[in-house]
Amino acid sequence: MDALISLIQDIISPLQWSLNWVNILEIAFIGITLLVFYKKFIKNTQAEKLVKGIFFLVFAWIFSEILILIDLRIIGVFLKSLVTLIALSLIVIFQPELRRFLGYLGQPGFIRRTLFSTCSYREAEINEIDVIKEIIEAVKYLTKTKTGALIVFQKEMSAGVYSDVGTKLDALISTELILTIFHPNTPLHDGAMVIENNRIHSAGVLLPLTEDPKLSWKYGTRHRAAIGMSEVSDAACLVVSEETGDVSITMDGMLKKYEDLMTLKTDLESILGIKPKEEAVEKHKNIFDMLRGKN
């Protein structure tokens, strides 16, 4: 116990704590900065799981030091070595995400967009409504002509490693462009189209297939890819069947088939973060919320 107290004192003493208003301002500044960074870049993304894992490794390292101090050296050294090995492995495993994040930080105007963004909520809402309108019109035609399609709604910093292998487009969303991409005679029609930040990020993307042995044989490659993508990321995937023209959306490994475009429009509003009117919320409860309630 004396050794543990000595270790804590050795860690704290260089900080030269003297609780005054300067220290309080410094702590508040660090806390607010971390909170803003978390909400803007990490919350509700795949990176959130990584951050939780890093915190777990930090606590495991501290615990290993405590074990060593109380003479449980074999267990403590083993745990410390394991934490070090996992930490080094994370750099290799998450190399694409780290590279993409550093590239995002190096973009021109990053600070201005992050801190002084002038885009209002109403402008963003109008853009999202236009996106849904264009997608619904495209889906209506794809269903009528039984043209296969696979659209991924990707959240920021979410599973981008898959979309990186497709053909980069960075184009505005329009019904005509969606129909052109999924036309049977185009090179990109077999892959998935990825939508991110209300723009077509890429097309011709190959997605991971689900390995669920209980999935019905009736589902083809598009449906298996859509389910697989939703299993490994927080993205939602819209599928139009080439055989039947049926429309489905996958999310969190679950698949929902739609009988009418109005219900589809309601769920797309939920996926893209648009809050429908109160009466619409009562009438059209999000299908994925209902499915989660059954589990």
Side-chain angles (χ1 to χ4, degrees):
M1 181 60 67
D2 292 337
L4 179 59
I5 295 175
S6 177
L7 173 64
I8 295 174
Q9 290 175 345
D10 291 339
I11 295 174
I12 295 178
S13 59
L15 298 177
Q16 297 179 352
W17 284 105
S18 56
L19 192 60
N20 53 46
W21 65 271
V22 176
N23 299 139
I24 296 174
L25 288 178
E26 288 177 335
I27 295 173
F29 176 77
I30 294 174
I32 293 173
T33 301
L34 292 177
L35 182 62
V36 171
F37 185 85
Y38 172 78
K39 287 186 175 181
K40 195 167 186 66
F41 299 106
I42 298 177
K43 188 176 181 181
N44 297 326
T45 68
Q46 287 295 98
E48 186 174 16
K49 299 178 182 178
L50 174 61
V51 171
K52 292 179 179 178
I54 292 175
F55 275 113
F56 176 79
L57 290 178
V58 171
F59 286 122
W61 180 81
I62 295 174
F63 183 64
S64 69
E65 291 287 352
I66 295 174
L67 291 176
I68 294 174
L69 287 175
I70 60 177
D71 291 331
L72 295 176
R73 288 186 169 274
I74 295 179
I75 299 177
V77 171
F78 172 76
L79 180 60
K80 188 175 182 179
S81 301
L82 186 62
V83 170
T84 303
L85 179 62
I86 295 174
L88 293 175
S89 301
L90 289 177
I91 300 176
V92 178
I93 295 172
F94 292 96
Q95 182 181 2
E97 286 79 4
L98 292 173
R99 184 174 63 249
R100 186 169 56 255
F101 178 69
L102 293 175
Y104 180 74
L105 292 178
Q107 291 179 357
F110 167 77
I111 297 178
R112 176 179 54 81
R113 291 197 310 269
T114 303
L115 300 179
F116 308 105
S117 177
T118 58
C119 179
S120 66
Y121 173 80
R122 181 59 185 168
E123 290 173 343
E125 183 180 10
I126 292 174
N127 291 336
E128 287 173 339
I129 293 174
D130 290 341
V131 166
I132 291 179
K133 179 181 177 182
E134 297 293 330
I135 293 174
I136 292 295
E137 289 298 321
V139 169
K140 186 186 301 184
Y141 182 85
L142 292 169
T143 302
K144 183 178 180 181
T145 58
K146 293 185 179 180
T147 303
L150 176 54
I151 302 175
V152 179
F153 299 96
Q154 178 176 293
K155 295 184 179 181
E156 189 174 2
M157 301 295 294
S158 162
V161 64
Y162 297 105
S163 61
D164 286 345
V165 300
T167 301
K168 299 289 183 63
L169 295 179
D170 191 23
L172 293 173
I173 297 175
S174 67
T175 301
E176 294 78 9
L177 182 54
I178 295 175
L179 296 179
T180 300
I181 290 174
F182 291 116
H183 191 277
N185 294 327
T186 60
L188 302 177
H189 78 281
D190 275 335
M193 183 183 76
V194 178
I195 292 179
E196 182 180 6
N197 295 330
N198 297 334
R199 295 179 68 87
I200 299 178
H201 177 274
S202 55
V205 179
L206 300 180
L207 304 181
L209 301 180
T210 181
E211 298 180 0
D212 185 1
K214 299 179 181 179
L215 190 63
S216 173
W217 59 269
K218 296 185 295 183
Y219 294 114
T221 304
R222 282 193 181 89
H223 289 82
R224 293 178 181 274
I227 296 173
M229 183 65 173
S230 67
E231 288 174 340
V232 300
S233 72
D234 55 1
C237 303
L238 185 150
V239 190
V240 179
S241 173
E242 188 174 351
E243 288 76 20
T244 63
D246 293 338
V247 182
S248 305
I249 285 183
T250 63
M251 194 173 184
D252 296 334
M254 299 179 291
L255 184 142
K256 164 62 180 176
K257 180 180 175 182
Y258 291 86
E259 300 295 340
D260 62 274
L261 295 180
M262 181 58 67
T263 307
L264 174 63
K265 178 177 178 293
T266 301
D267 280 349
L268 283 178
E269 288 174 344
S270 176
I271 291 169
L272 294 178
I274 300 176
K275 296 181 180 179
K277 296 180 180 179
E278 293 182 1
E279 58 268 20
V281 174
E282 294 295 328
K283 186 176 181 181
H284 302 290
K285 187 176 180 181
N286 189 296
I287 184 63
F288 300 108
D289 291 338
M290 290 190 291
L291 286 173
R292 292 189 188 99
K294 294 179 181 180
N295 296 332

